[in-house]
C-alpha cells in the first residue's frame, strides 16, 4: 500500500464521521425552526419594528430644579 492509498483511506474514514454528524446538525436546525414556527415566534414581525419608531423618548416629568 502506497502513501497515496493510505491517505485516501484516512480521508474516507473521516467522511464516515463527518457525513452523519452534518446530517444530524441539519436535522436539529430544521427541528428548531419548525418548533419556533409552531410556537408563534414569527407571527408578528412588524409590531416590534414599529414600536421602536413610535417610542417617545421625551422625559415624562420635567427635570427637577435645584433650589
Amino acid at each position: 500500500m502506497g502513501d497515496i492509498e493510505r491517505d485516501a483511506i484516512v480521508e474516507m474514514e473521516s467522511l464516515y464521521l463527518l457525513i452523519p454528524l452534518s446530517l444530524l446538525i441539519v436535522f436539529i436546525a430544521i427541528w428548531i425552526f419548525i418548533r419556533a414556527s409552531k410556537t408563534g415566534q414569527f407571527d408578528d414581525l412588524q409590531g416590534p419594528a414599529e414600536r421602536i419608531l413610535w417610542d417617545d423618548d421625551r422625559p415624562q416629568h420635567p427635570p427637577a430644579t435645584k433650589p
Side-chain angles (χ1 to χ4, degrees):
M1 204 184 262
D3 288 337
I4 295 174
E5 293 173 356
R6 195 172 307 123
D7 290 341
I9 291 173
V10 169
E11 289 176 6
M12 285 299 296
E13 288 177 0
S14 64
L15 286 178
Y16 291 140
L17 173 69
L18 292 176
I19 290 175
L21 186 63
S22 64
L23 289 174
L24 178 68
I25 291 172
V26 166
F27 285 128
I28 289 172
I30 290 171
W31 178 75
I32 289 172
F33 176 74
I34 291 172
R35 185 171 174 222
S37 295
K38 285 184 178 180
T39 59
Q41 182 72 28
F42 305 112
D43 284 349
D44 185 19
L45 297 178
Q46 198 66 25
E50 289 179 359
R51 242 179 285 139
I52 291 172
L53 295 175
W54 298 111
D55 187 22
D56 189 13
D57 291 334
R58 290 176 281 164
Q60 298 294 327
H61 304 288
T65 57
K66 295 181 181 179

